[in-house]
Amino acid sequence: MSGQATSTNSADPALVRRYGRTQRAAHWWIAGTFLLTFLNGPEDADGITPAVILHICTASAMLLGVVAVLVLGNRAALGADLRELTRLDDTDRAFLRSLRQPRASREAVRWGKFNVGQKLAAWLLAALFAVVFLTGVGAATLHLGPVHKAVLPVLYLVLAGHVAMAVVNPATRPALRGMLTGAVDRVWATRHHAAWVDAVDAEPAVGPDRRP
């Protein structure tokens, strides 16, 4: 199962290690630089002005930071998570097929490291970030400001859903601990990502990802 190499057994048996330092650094760097880019967004994105240059610089810092994480961090761990996020496995496809029969009874799904909703949200966010970045650059050179402004509310809406799932929703809130400390509660993980927990438990115990 792809993605299982990204996790290691936690020293605390009540926890399961979900992310190493590399994944967490990439996530929080993107989140922090996006917030800065949001805060310094110019009122008028058409044309090259000091405000637009600052806006482009912070957006570019987001990409450069991700490149730095790829160069300096654990590329194998990050790559395994990206492969897991970018493909639909048999469980995902079976679940999506079952949605066409809403009255059919469903057993609890044994998800891997990421469920199909997380994967689809990741695809959507990646696409929106790419469009926003490209239209933002185009706003200064090709007068694509109106397109840039039209896409931004969609990105904000999807990000708001992501934050709500991480902070507000009781069923998914325990996942935030994994992005903060690297490990999640074993009981929660078994309930929501049973196949992934089985894969982690089948691995030999090794130390956590100590690379940046």
Side-chain angles (χ1 to χ4, degrees), residues 85-115:
L85 278 169
T86 53
R87 73 179 184 91
L88 294 179
D89 58 25
D90 292 341
T91 301
D92 300 322
R93 287 189 289 270
F95 177 80
L96 291 173
R97 285 194 299 269
S98 74
L99 295 179
R100 288 180 281 183
Q101 300 175 334
R103 296 183 180 180
S105 60
R106 300 190 189 96
E107 297 180 359
V109 181
R110 293 177 57 81
W111 297 111
K113 188 168 188 179
F114 305 106
N115 62 43

Side-chain angles (χ1 to χ4, degrees), residues 49 56 66 73 103 110 120 129 150 157 165 186 188 200 205-206 208:
T49 65
I56 292 175
V66 172
R103 296 183 180 180
R110 293 177 57 81
L120 295 177
F129 268 115
L157 181 63
M165 294 295 284
R186 175 175 289 273
W188 174 87
V200 171
V206 294

